[in-house]
Amino acid sequence: MAMRILVVGAGAVGGYFGGRLAEAGRDVTFLVRPSRAKQLTQNGLRIISSHGDAVLTPKLISADKIDTPYDLVFLSVKAYSLETAMNDFAAAFGPETMIFPVLNGVRHIDLLAKRFGEDAVIGGVCFVAAEIDDQGRIVQLADFQQLVYGERNGEITPRLKTLDEALQGAGFDARLSPDIMQAMWEKWVQLASLGAITCLMRGTIGEIVATPGGAELSIDVVNESVAVATACSYMPSEKVLSSHTAAMTAPGSSLTSSMYRDLRKGAPVEADHILGDFIERGSVHGVATPLLKAAFVNLRVYQDRLPKH
């Protein structure tokens, strides 16, 4: 029997991976708010990508219409929307439901496990650069597109094998990991350092490293981030660290972070979840993070100026 998948939201990440799964014939339903539902009903779920454009007629549902559990809840909302999202998909949760979150950082794992139980929540990481344009289309900004997932205790369980089967051959890279928490921390190191330097300096990596001392500052931020992860027993692998350091110091690079792109739009940012929680976990182990703290305070000042909804 096909896995019934509920994708919470049809934003850049959920819309992209959920759209690719639907395009590949998987049983996918999107849990969306009325405004996004209207947009998708009128225009379809539209993906613009170097891997192939798509226009889909997605299955949509609202929170008040959910009346049966799903096999999988794919959760890709922004971290500051997690509490609302948990309330919205609660009716879709049953005894056998797996929750597959790909939020940034790790704080969401604790919150989800507290609400739905430790066993329900698996670990997950997504790698994709995408955004919603002014026409409501999901535009992929770079070629990479991967989902990584696994049990948080490292076991390769039957349910993860079932999930892996459902995700293979769906138009993106999918990988079952025996060490998903390490993968989540390695991505967190990348997000924290890239987010800190691009938001603090208000520029792309190329612009930063073109400035005297810019490349050295980027490396200092990476070193602070690595020190936090190492103190928390998740030292990044040499391969990941080498690749990330190269990306953070690449001349002419247009690389930015999603937080910087949100900042430029005047939108809310995930400062607390990507930087605040990261800094706090390092502080517990006595790790000094002056550059990360400067970026965090900077972003909180920005965030606190935004209109309250």
Side-chain angles (χ1 to χ4, degrees), residues 3 10 62 88 91 99-100 112 126 152 165 178 203 209 235 264:
M3 176 176 279
S62 56
D88 287 346
I99 300 174
F100 177 4
L112 287 163
C126 76
R152 291 183 288 130
E165 289 173 9
V209 302
M235 181 179 178
R264 291 285 301 273

Side-chain angles (χ1 to χ4, degrees), residues 106 181-182 185 188-189 225-236 277-287:
V106 301
M181 295 307 296
Q182 177 71 22
W185 270 88
W188 201 5
V189 166
S225 303
V226 170
V228 171
T230 301
C232 295
S233 303
Y234 292 102
M235 181 179 178
D277 189 37
F278 192 75
I279 291 165
E280 190 175 322
R281 289 172 192 262
S283 180
V284 169
H285 296 282
V287 179

Side-chain angles (χ1 to χ4, degrees), residues 107 188 270-281 296:
R107 179 190 285 175
W188 201 5
E270 295 180 298
D272 290 337
H273 313 87
I274 293 177
L275 288 176
D277 189 37
F278 192 75
I279 291 165
E280 190 175 322
R281 289 172 192 262
F296 174 64

Side-chain angles (χ1 to χ4, degrees), residues 28 36 40 58 69 74 83 111 121-122 126 128 139 141 156 165 181-182 186 188 190 203 244 288 297:
V28 177
R36 185 63 168 150
L40 293 171
F74 182 76
E83 185 174 348
L111 297 174
V121 187
I122 66 171
C126 76
V128 68
V139 181
L141 304 174
I156 304 298
E165 289 173 9
M181 295 307 296
Q182 177 71 22
E186 287 180 341
W188 201 5
Q190 295 169 312
H244 182 52
V297 172

